[in-house]
Amino acid sequence: MKSVQPRLLRRVFLVFLVIPCGLLFAQAAVKLTLDAGALVYAGLEEADWSSFASGELDFQSSASAGVRGRLTMTAMLLSVNGAALARFDITRLFIRANLPLFDGFVPRLSLGKNNIAWGKGAFFNAGNLFFGKAGAQGLVGGVTALARNETEWLALLYIPLGALSFAEAAASLPLPAFSVIATPQGELMLPTPVEAGSGASYGARLSGNFDAFAAELAWHYSGIDDKQELSCSVSGALGDAELYGSYALALPYDRARITGGLLAVNFAPMLDSTSFRLEALVQPEASWEQKELTNEERLDGYPYGVHILADVSVGLGTAVLTARSLYSPVDNSALFSLTLLWKPYQGLWYYIGGSINAGSEGALYESWQTGSWSATGGLRFVF
């Protein structure tokens, strides 16, 4: 880190000011999300605490059949045990436009930082070849819906193949993350540029919807490890529930991943809203016996042959209660979280929640270790 002149700081803030103003004049739809709260969690020797305030500014172009643009910026002020930090980031920045080549045939081109949802699954998804087989464990204890929202610099070409089928080609471009981290002492950490071509990846998929099910075939090449992957995903209805699954393998073959799940909503008529989701990740080549985990395996989060996620949400009036769990059957350990949301006014949410690990010494979710429990509370305002 190095000291940054006030002139550079002014330039950073001008970027965050001028771009939104230009979009406002272009009659963009604007949504602002403000979040403030505090967090207590298990530290190295005793409980640590942090307070935070964050904002997300989301600009979307006015509705148009031919073109769409979006810019999403985030800012966060974070204090951990009294040490303050500020972070600015651009999470979305893309333009999507139709290519009216022929009558009745309109491909679509998208360029910029965006998300693509390949495969089937909300948390565990073997068909998500660009962003990985599983979400981060932090999503389980979050106060928002269980949805992965990773973004990357992408070039996408969407080709319709009839009313319910399409093909898509995608390329991930190795560009910097455009996140800026600053401290109150005037020090600034800028993103490190990535060497062109060092981490590019490419892929293509074919998706079709049929009477009883939907299916998807996909291929992906990663320039980072020079590996190819193939995946097949299917989904369909069973009564009022949705069933889905994905299978992926690496070429040349060294591992396979299988994910599957079910989703049921509004299954209790006496309640205002209900949802239940159950998903599993199976890795045949991974360990099926408890072992001593390396730091790399713990960071990966899913080192064993099978992992299970459960998510239950119940809404009654202006309150929503959500319980989630990540379970590792191999070492019989689990992460549990519970969150209560209360919405007394339009756009305003109060929330409290907590998470705790339950596992023996050396287990994936070991109890009474750093980060093994947390409690949070705050409020969120969307307008």
Side-chain angles (χ1 to χ4, degrees), residues 213-355:
F213 67 97
E216 176 183 300
L217 298 175
W219 164 83
H220 176 257
Y221 169 77
S222 172
I224 298 176
D225 51 12
D226 192 28
K227 287 286 184 68
Q228 299 185 62
E229 291 181 299
L230 298 176
S231 72
C232 175
S233 304
V234 295
S235 64
L238 179 63
D240 295 331
E242 178 188 2
L243 300 177
Y244 50 87
S246 296
Y247 173 81
L249 58 88
L251 298 176
Y253 184 86
D254 65 351
R255 67 186 187 277
R257 302 183 303 276
I258 305 167
T259 58
L262 66 87
L263 172 64
V265 297
N266 297 327
F267 53 83
M270 72 290 298
L271 299 173
D272 293 337
S273 64
T274 53
S275 70
F276 172 71
R277 186 186 296 274
L278 184 66
E279 293 187 345
L281 165 67
V282 178
Q283 303 174 110
E285 282 75 31
S287 175
W288 290 82
E289 295 181 354
Q290 185 174 353
K291 62 177 183 177
E292 183 177 350
L293 299 175
T294 65
N295 289 333
E296 183 179 355
E297 289 173 325
R298 287 189 178 276
L299 288 175
D300 174 75
Y302 312 101
Y304 290 123
V306 60
H307 297 268
I308 299 173
L309 169 96
D311 176 31
V312 181
S313 180
V314 176
L316 185 60
T318 59
V320 178
L321 181 65
T322 301
R324 294 173 181 153
S325 176
L326 272 174
Y327 177 53
S328 172
V330 173
D331 61 10
N332 195 31
S333 66
L335 164 64
F336 299 98
S337 77
L338 189 67
T339 304
L340 177 63
L341 302 174
W342 178 44
K343 187 178 181 182
Y345 306 108
Q346 180 66 32
L348 178 65
W349 289 96
Y350 291 92
Y351 60 84
I352 57 172
S355 66

Side-chain angles (χ1 to χ4, degrees), residues 13 17-18 23 53 55 67-68 94 101 119 122 125 130 143 158 162 167 175 180 202 248 297-298 307 335 337 342:
F13 283 102
L17 177 64
V18 173
L23 286 174
V67 62
R68 181 193 175 197
F94 69 86
L101 300 179
N125 182 357
F130 275 90
V143 299
Y158 174 93
L175 296 178
V180 179
Y202 315 93
E297 289 173 325
R298 287 189 178 276
H307 297 268
L335 164 64
S337 77
W342 178 44

Side-chain angles (χ1 to χ4, degrees), residues 17 42 65 71 95 98 136 139 142 157 163 211 284 300 308 320 338 358 368:
L17 177 64
L71 169 63
I95 297 176
N98 290 344
L139 287 175
L157 178 61
D211 291 338
D300 174 75
I308 299 173
V320 178
L338 189 67
W368 311 117

Side-chain angles (χ1 to χ4, degrees), residues 84-151:
L85 199 68
R87 174 170 182 155
F88 306 91
D89 203 352
I90 298 176
T91 55
R92 273 186 171 83
L93 176 61
F94 69 86
I95 297 176
R96 181 182 300 158
N98 290 344
L99 298 172
L101 300 179
F102 308 104
D103 186 25
F105 177 69
V106 184
R108 186 171 65 229
L109 181 66
S110 178
L111 296 172
K113 193 173 186 181
N114 200 2
N115 172 273
I116 50 175
W118 286 20
K120 306 294 182 181
F123 190 84
F124 291 134
N125 182 357
N128 194 341
L129 301 181
F130 275 90
F131 294 104
K133 62 192 176 185
Q137 293 180 10
L139 287 175
V140 176
V143 299
T144 57
L146 189 67
R148 297 172 60 181
N149 201 28
E150 304 101 328
T151 60

Side-chain angles (χ1 to χ4, degrees), residues 4-55:
V4 178
Q5 299 297 328
R7 181 180 301 175
L8 179 56
L9 289 174
R10 287 197 296 269
R11 289 177 181 174
V12 172
F13 283 102
L14 280 174
V15 170
F16 279 84
L17 177 64
V18 173
I19 293 179
C21 289
L23 286 174
L24 281 173
F25 286 116
Q27 297 183 347
V30 183
K31 184 176 76 171
L32 178 61
T33 302
L34 302 177
D35 205 339
L39 173 70
V40 181
Y41 59 96
L44 292 175
E45 297 180 354
E46 57 185 17
D48 289 338
W49 65 272
S50 67
S51 57
F52 57 88
S54 65

